[in-house]
Amino acid sequence: MNLKILLLPGDGIGTEVTAAAVEVLKAVGKKFGHTLDLSEGLLGGVAIHKTGTPFPKETEELCQKADATLMGAVGLPEFDAAPPSQRPEAGLLGMRRVLDVFANLRPVRTWPALVDSSPLKNHVVEGTDMIIVRELTGGLYYGQPRGIDNDRAFNTMSYTRKEVERVTHTAFKLAGNRRKKVTSVDKSNVLEVSQFWRKVVIEVAKQYPNIQLEHMLVDNAAMQMVLNPRQFDVMLTENTFGDILSDVGGILAGSIGMLPSASLGEKKGLYEPVHGSAPDIAGQNKANPLGAIGSVAAMLEYTFGLMKEANAVNNAIGKVLESGRVTADLRPKGKPATTQEVGKAVSEAL
Ligand code: NAD
């Protein structure tokens, strides 16, 4: 198979983890006989520096041409005071909108070798295996009107029926191949948008009679994720809540650097680790690349339907974790491995 993939390394550790992920991708191509058609584009702070905009037109065109996009991370501290539309993160939001990737899948699992890395007690995290399905192109991050006046600032949280329906279908279909349970997270005791969300989710759920549906308020969900994470199979939620709750997932997985993600629409797929550009460790070859490498596995599965290859990458990640050759964030007993060493170790384990 020919895999036509766009690489957008972005800023900070984004470039480092993407390089490690590409090494694994090449190893997959070699082992399973696939050809790689890789292109590279600019996104985020690096794109502002070189072109004046976080999401250049050329990058938009490259995204449309590729079957899938693998992104690192965006964000540079020098833009912290810039208005949202001129920050590197605007590039990411623009790309998600252009590709119309409305469902963001964030698998959270506790790898047996990492149970001791979690700050939570072993008996709490052991066996955690859930997927957060976060709505990605609606809600507060995109709602209009938005703005800042002298004495007031405002954003708008809004969802259409179609937006809620399509992401709900994604969550229920996923649950059908898993443990057949969807937990829809909202704040329906306070927000009209959440009341509407809950109503539409209940309507869609009627089409999936063999899937159990439960509802949970977002504040309780945050608590339940650290109290009893094994209760969750598929967690369905809107954009902002999903953004926040998936960082809690980082605690369950041992480090935020472990978390992969897949953003899916009707046609295209965008794959990226959950973490940001981590300016505090950028350029030091210290970043954990396993979230980016897990995103390669997700790409093989969801865009290319290559299950055997995806499983091989995930198994290789498991082997490397067991070997203890891991980066500093996973608190290894001996000397921490570098980003490059972990990438190489996963490629070899394949
Ligand atoms: P962050 O995820 O970059 O970092 C949070 C903490 O986790 C830091 O201490 C960092 O060192 C650590 N960390 C993150 N990824 C790691 C990895 N792979 N290995 C080891 N440690 C890791 O979040 P932040 O500090 O809040 O944000 C930094 C910048 O990234 C900001 O500009 C923010 O807007 C941006 N950001 C981008 C994305 C994205 O590109 N998808 C996501 C989140 C934040």
Side-chain angles (χ1 to χ4, degrees), residues 13 17 71 73-76 87 89 92 96 256-257 272 274-281 287-288 329:
I13 65 166
V17 299
M71 209 202 85
V74 295
L76 290 175
R87 289 177 56 115
E89 293 80 352
L92 183 54
R96 288 171 178 166
I256 190 152
E272 52 176 313
V274 166
H275 63 76
S277 56
D280 54 337
I281 58 165
N288 183 347
D329 55 313

Side-chain angles (χ1 to χ4, degrees), residues 77-340:
E78 68 194 80
F79 296 108
D80 278 357
S85 63
Q86 288 158 38
R87 289 177 56 115
E89 293 80 352
L92 183 54
L93 296 182
M95 187 169 55
R96 288 171 178 166
R97 184 172 36 218
V98 163
L99 293 177
D100 200 18
V101 283
F102 56 81
N104 182 222
L105 279 47
R106 300 186 156 191
V108 177
R109 57 186 285 197
T110 307
W111 296 82
L114 290 186
V115 169
D116 289 334
S117 300
S118 172
L120 298 176
K121 291 199 170 71
N122 290 7
H123 75 267
V124 174
V125 287
E126 248 159 6
T128 299
D129 180 7
M130 63 182 289
I131 293 194
I132 300 175
V133 176
R134 166 189 172 196
E135 200 292 327
L136 201 60
T137 50
L140 266 183
Y141 293 3
Y142 291 92
Q144 297 287 347
R146 60 190 295 162
I148 305 181
D149 296 339
N150 269 348
D151 299 314
R152 191 177 84 103
F154 49 96
N155 290 93
T156 303
M157 186 189 250
S158 124
Y159 270 105
T160 64
R161 174 177 296 279
K162 184 179 163 226
E163 284 172 328
V164 183
E165 280 176 355
R166 60 187 188 174
V167 73
T168 303
H169 281 293
T170 303
F172 275 82
K173 283 179 190 152
L174 265 178
N177 292 324
R178 294 174 49 94
R179 299 195 307 281
K180 303 193 170 28
K181 180 177 171 189
V182 171
T183 305
S184 174
V185 171
D186 62 38
K187 189 71 185 168
S188 61
N189 53 342
V190 178
L191 299 173
E192 284 80 359
V193 176
S194 282
Q195 288 174 346
F196 177 76
W197 176 280
R198 194 177 278 216
K199 179 168 158 279
V200 176
V201 169
I202 290 171
E203 284 165 18
V204 172
K206 291 189 183 126
Q207 297 174 43
Y208 301 89
N210 62 336
I211 311 276
Q212 182 196 343
L213 169 65
E214 69 173 13
H215 304 277
M216 197 176 276
L217 298 176
V218 62
D219 34 1
N220 184 29
M223 182 172 74
Q224 292 299 328
M225 274 182 79
V226 289
L227 263 184
N228 177 15
R230 276 189 302 274
Q231 70 184 288
F232 297 113
D233 179 16
V234 175
M235 179 183 275
L236 165 67
T237 191
E238 64 87 51
N239 204 341
T240 308
F241 299 159
D243 193 3
I244 297 167
L245 291 174
S246 48
D247 272 32
V248 181
I251 303 290
L252 302 171
S255 160
I256 190 152
M258 288 302 301
L259 298 180
S261 86
S263 303
L264 307 177
E266 306 292 351
K267 295 191 205 105
K268 303 283 182 187
L270 167 66
Y271 300 85
E272 52 176 313
V274 166
H275 63 76
S277 56
D280 54 337
I281 58 165
Q284 299 172 40
N285 204 8
K286 264 188 186 172
N288 183 347
L290 293 177
I293 294 171
S295 303
V296 166
M299 174 189 285
L300 294 167
E301 175 175 352
Y302 296 119
T303 291
F304 298 110
L306 299 171
M307 254 343 271
K308 199 164 43 135
E309 288 79 345
N311 287 337
V313 173
N314 283 322
N315 290 339
I317 291 175
K319 275 192 201 143
V320 171
L321 291 173
E322 272 156 35
S323 77
R325 282 180 76 192
V326 295
T327 42
D329 55 313
L330 295 176
R331 295 173 283 280
K333 292 202 176 74
K335 186 170 169 265
T338 64
T339 310
Q340 275 173 335

